[in-house]
Amino acid sequence: MKRTVRLATLSLNRSKYDELCSVVGHYSDAKRVFVAHLRQISLWGLLDRSKSFRDYAKARGLYPAGINVHLIDQAAFDAVDTCIRHIESCFARVDIKAKTWRRFTDEDERHYAYACLARYSAIGQIMGGGVPEIPTVAIAPETRAKIASYLHRVIRDALGSIWPTVVKARSMSLDSSLYSVVDNETRTGKTRRYVKVISSSTP
């Protein structure tokens, strides 16, 4: 099990502080664009795999020019995670799974409904008026349509008209490839730990 250790830090000098603010600013700007873009239900299938959205965003020219691509990759992954957490929190708030359990008594119908709720591609399809096909559940087309219609109604009510926005421009999420930790000795023989964060400029 990993343990988080919080250490006291020294204030950054002005140049390092400005550079860090620049990195966070570029990260937040990119994430804001990605989160807003993911509001389109036609793109929710990309939420099933964050790398799929990364590839989509690159192909559509959503990546800002001249900014370190690895930093923007992380912003894309973070945007996907933010949207997923928003959807799941909306579902949990109204307890959609419990409603579905009470609404359908047939095991195959429940299986189909829960399988739809487990796939963001299926959720997006339902919200777009479609009826997902789940290969692992064999039920009649009219039964699938009935379940999809019910899920559309409860999902619509759960999500409402709200969508997450990126308003906090003072934080970012970095994986282990975007920063490194170095221990150096000071002139007095003490060990001081430094955190080196990726630059926002293209390497």
Side-chain angles (χ1 to χ4, degrees):
M1 178 179 291
K2 293 184 178 180
R3 185 167 62 94
T4 300
V5 178
R6 301 182 67 179
L7 302 176
T9 60
L10 299 175
S11 299
L12 297 174
N13 62 44
R14 193 67 207 180
S15 62
K16 290 181 179 178
Y17 177 81
D18 290 342
E19 174 60 22
L20 185 59
C21 286
S22 174
V23 173
V24 176
H26 288 303
Y27 180 96
S28 299
D29 290 343
K31 182 182 175 182
R32 187 177 296 108
V33 171
F34 296 150
V35 169
H37 213 72
L38 282 167
R39 185 165 190 162
Q40 304 173 65
I41 57 176
S42 61
L43 299 181
W44 284 10
L46 300 175
L47 296 177
D48 288 320
R49 290 187 69 252
S50 57
K51 290 183 179 179
S52 295
F53 176 70
R54 177 200 62 187
D55 296 341
Y56 167 87
K58 286 181 178 179
R60 291 296 298 269
L62 298 180
Y63 271 45
I67 306 301
N68 194 308
V69 67
H70 302 297
L71 181 70
I72 306 305
D73 282 347
Q74 185 61 27
F77 299 149
D78 193 9
V80 169
D81 182 63
T82 295
C83 295
I84 288 174
R85 285 187 283 112
H86 170 74
I87 294 171
E88 292 300 328
S89 67
C90 290
F91 286 4
R93 187 173 62 250
V94 300
D95 208 349
I96 281 184
K97 289 188 176 180
K99 286 184 177 180
T100 302
W101 178 270
R102 291 191 297 266
R103 180 68 172 77
F104 303 105
T105 56
D106 181 80
E107 286 302 315
D108 286 338
E109 292 180 355
R110 285 175 174 171
H111 186 184
Y112 175 81
Y114 286 157
C116 287
L117 292 173
R119 297 167 171 83
Y120 296 105
S121 55
I123 294 171
Q125 191 176 351
I126 288 171
M127 295 309 293
V131 179
E133 289 191 19
I134 306 297
T136 58
V137 187
I139 57 177
E142 59 270 19
T143 303
R144 291 202 309 267
K146 177 186 69 174
I147 298 171
S149 177
Y150 172 78
L151 291 178
H152 181 278
R153 185 168 65 254
V154 295
I155 292 172
R156 180 196 61 204
D157 293 342
L159 294 176
S161 60
I162 59 174
W163 191 250
T165 55
V166 181
V167 296
K168 187 177 181 181
R170 294 175 57 189
S171 65
M172 58 183 173
S173 173
L174 301 179
D175 65 18
S176 58
S177 67
L178 301 180
Y179 72 92
S180 57
V181 179
V182 180
D183 290 331
N184 289 336
E185 285 193 3
T186 65
R187 287 177 296 179
T188 59
K190 294 182 179 180
T191 300
R192 180 166 292 170
R193 176 160 291 180
Y194 296 87
V195 177
K196 184 178 180 181
V197 177
I198 191 171
S199 170
S200 61
S201 58
T202 302

